[in-house]
Amino acid sequence: RMKEFDEAIATLRLGTERMPDSAVLHVRLGHTYLVTGRPAEALASMDRTIALEPRNVDAYTAAASALDALGRKAEARDYLEKAIAVEPENKFLRTSLAMNLASTGDIGRAIEIYKALVADFPADHVLRQHLGVAYGVTGDYANAIASFKQAIALTPTPTAYLNIAVASKRAGDIAEAVRYLRLYLADPKGESPVSIKAAEAELQRLESSLKK
């Protein structure tokens, strides 16, 4: 908590030397390695934890994060799937798996996972946004827009307005893209100045195209 990570690692390593069968010490050492940007060492600690406790979901999840940081996404997916085998209803794990699949090109399977998540957690607007983005990647803008509208109905956010504006433009509905860009710019709280400026420029271009 004091950010004295080197001392924390030294203490935890000493602990694992004296108590090599302590899964708690190994997993805490792994997490400390992870937050200090040492994913390979984090992975080794998590694998040791898993050897001691094969159903330790925390270790599987952290190992997946370490592998993701190392660019080994297929292996990360294996760890996520093992964690889900232990906790099949875990929303975070299922979302992480869907994001992994989407990032590695298996967008169809990602969509199926997001659809199941939306069915299980209908009040979660973020899941509907993830689903909308996934549909958009496939060019299914009708379903993308429908998902974004459902997200907005639950919780209007600048991100949702921007996402639906982009999807509407790609679907060829410039008027709707303009409408949602205006809603985005009406209250872009939390958005970066770069995103806001880009949205302003895009709105100006689209409004000009409607006047022609």
Side-chain angles (χ1 to χ4, degrees), residues 162 165 177-178 180-182 184-185 188 191-207:
L162 188 58
V178 165
Y180 284 109
L181 278 174
R182 287 173 177 165
Y184 168 79
L185 290 168
E191 295 293 287
S192 71
V194 173
S195 295
I196 294 169
K197 187 173 181 179
E200 289 171 340
E202 179 68 358
L203 177 59
Q204 188 174 17
R205 283 193 294 271
L206 294 180
E207 286 176 330

Side-chain angles (χ1 to χ4, degrees), residues 145 165 167-178:
I145 290 168
S168 296
K169 178 190 173 184
R170 291 176 178 170
D173 194 338
I174 304 303
E176 280 291 273
V178 165

Side-chain angles (χ1 to χ4, degrees), residues 3-211:
K3 310 300 183 186
E4 295 178 3
F5 295 116
D6 289 342
E7 187 172 348
I9 287 171
T11 304
L12 287 165
R13 288 182 63 178
L14 179 61
T16 58
E17 289 168 9
R18 293 184 177 180
M19 302 175 65
D21 295 331
S22 172
V24 171
L25 289 175
H26 283 290
V27 80
R28 288 185 180 174
L29 176 59
H31 275 297
T32 309
Y33 279 135
L34 198 58
V35 300
T36 54
R38 297 163 68 174
E41 290 160 296
L43 178 62
S45 291
M46 295 309 173
D47 278 340
R48 178 58 181 157
T49 303
I50 292 165
L52 292 166
E53 292 185 355
R55 293 178 62 82
N56 192 309
V57 170
D58 187 20
Y60 282 120
T61 306
S65 295
L67 285 162
D68 193 64
L70 290 165
R72 295 156 60 182
K73 290 185 178 291
E75 294 172 76
R77 182 164 62 249
D78 289 341
Y79 279 84
L80 288 171
E81 288 175 335
K82 288 174 182 177
I84 290 171
V86 179
E87 292 186 6
E89 302 305 315
N90 189 303
K91 179 167 68 170
F92 171 78
L93 292 174
R94 292 160 68 192
T95 303
S96 296
L97 177 59
M99 293 174 72
N100 175 286
L101 290 163
S103 70
T104 54
D106 195 346
I107 198 70
R109 189 176 167 205
I111 286 173
E112 291 308 309
I113 293 172
Y114 282 134
K115 285 167 66 177
L117 281 163
V118 165
D120 290 343
F121 304 97
D124 191 328
H125 69 100
V126 175
L127 290 174
R128 294 180 187 273
Q129 290 218 56
H130 285 318
L131 178 58
V133 170
Y135 275 131
V137 171
T138 69
D140 186 351
Y141 299 120
N143 273 320
I145 290 168
S147 293
F148 293 139
K149 285 183 176 179
Q150 290 165 0
I152 289 168
L154 289 167
T155 306
T157 64
T159 300
Y161 286 134
L162 188 58
N163 282 337
I164 197 169
V166 171
S168 296
K169 178 190 173 184
R170 291 176 178 170
D173 194 338
I174 304 303
E176 280 291 273
V178 165
R179 183 165 79 89
Y180 284 109
L181 278 174
R182 287 173 177 165
L183 287 169
Y184 168 79
L185 290 168
D187 185 17
K189 184 178 180 180
E191 295 293 287
S192 71
V194 173
S195 295
I196 294 169
K197 187 173 181 179
E200 289 171 340
E202 179 68 358
L203 177 59
Q204 188 174 17
R205 283 193 294 271
L206 294 180
E207 286 176 330
S208 296
S209 70
L210 286 175
K211 293 175 183 177

